[in-house]
Amino acid sequence: MMDVKKNIRKRVIIAVLLGVGLVACRVFYQQEEIACLTTKNLLPSFVVNDLGNADSYDYERMLLLLTKIKEIKHAYHAKYADEATENPPRLHLPEVKELLTDFYREKERFARYVLRVKYHYKGDVPRKRGRSLHHHEKVFAKAIRDLEKMLRSL
């Protein structure tokens, strides 16, 4: 009789612990979903603003510059294309120079933002964020190299 009571008691304890564990997992996943939704709702644009108002970077400005460089690259390659179209896109040298200076300015802004982020995390930036920042620095460097190459060939 004692063995049966002990077995029943152990099974009840295990069932209760499993139930508590399931409820805890559900609550944890619900909190993660709510956090994701609120983050998406709080940041509808590309403005990163988790370091305070003063320490943010406007990614929309970078995206605008990248769309401009895409148009200039299109015009550059259309100029050297074999087939001649009726209305080829125009490539203006002052516009390319202005875009290059904008990229240099933006690269400097982004470098200052990266320094603020490193200072905020006391030099130990989370891996995912650090990789993202490094990728954006590479994008700036590549865009600047492409523009300089276009200017040299014109």
Side-chain angles (χ1 to χ4, degrees):
M1 248 349 209
M2 289 298 263
D3 291 334
V4 173
K5 287 183 181 178
K6 285 184 181 178
N7 284 340
I8 293 173
R9 187 179 318 149
K10 286 180 184 176
R11 288 182 182 172
V12 168
I13 290 172
I14 290 173
V16 168
L17 288 176
L18 285 173
V20 168
L22 287 173
V23 169
C25 285
R26 284 186 195 139
V27 168
F28 176 74
Y29 287 122
Q30 286 174 354
Q31 286 177 348
E32 279 189 349
E33 288 176 10
I34 290 171
C36 288
L37 290 175
T38 56
T39 302
K40 288 178 184 174
N41 289 338
L42 288 176
L43 300 173
S45 67
F46 289 94
V47 178
V48 174
N49 196 12
D50 62 348
L51 300 177
N53 289 336
D55 295 331
S56 63
Y57 180 74
D58 188 11
Y59 283 95
E60 288 179 357
R61 193 171 42 231
M62 181 175 74
L63 289 176
L64 238 110
L65 288 174
L66 289 174
T67 55
K68 285 182 185 177
I69 196 173
K70 190 182 288 186
E71 293 168 1
I72 287 180
K73 278 184 181 180
H74 177 68
Y76 176 76
H77 292 298
K79 180 179 178 182
Y80 295 107
D82 291 336
E83 63 230 18
T85 59
E86 291 180 16
N87 295 325
R90 300 294 234 142
L91 186 63
H92 300 287
L93 195 61
E95 184 180 341
V96 177
K97 287 182 180 179
E98 182 182 334
L99 185 63
L100 184 62
T101 57
D102 288 344
F103 261 105
Y104 276 124
R105 283 190 204 116
E106 202 60 35
K107 183 179 176 184
E108 291 301 317
R109 275 191 202 117
F110 192 74
R112 287 192 301 269
Y113 172 70
V114 169
L115 286 175
R116 287 193 307 263
V117 168
K118 286 181 181 177
Y119 178 76
H120 175 75
Y121 287 111
K122 296 177 179 59
D124 191 23
V125 181
R127 183 177 297 155
K128 191 173 184 179
R129 187 157 203 186
R131 286 181 181 168
S132 173
L133 293 174
H134 184 67
H135 171 72
H136 292 311
E137 287 175 336
K138 281 182 169 180
V139 167
F140 278 121
K142 184 181 182 311
I144 289 172
R145 274 194 319 266
D146 290 346
L147 284 172
E148 288 174 343
K149 184 179 174 183
M150 276 189 251
L151 282 174
R152 280 193 300 267
S153 68
L154 292 177

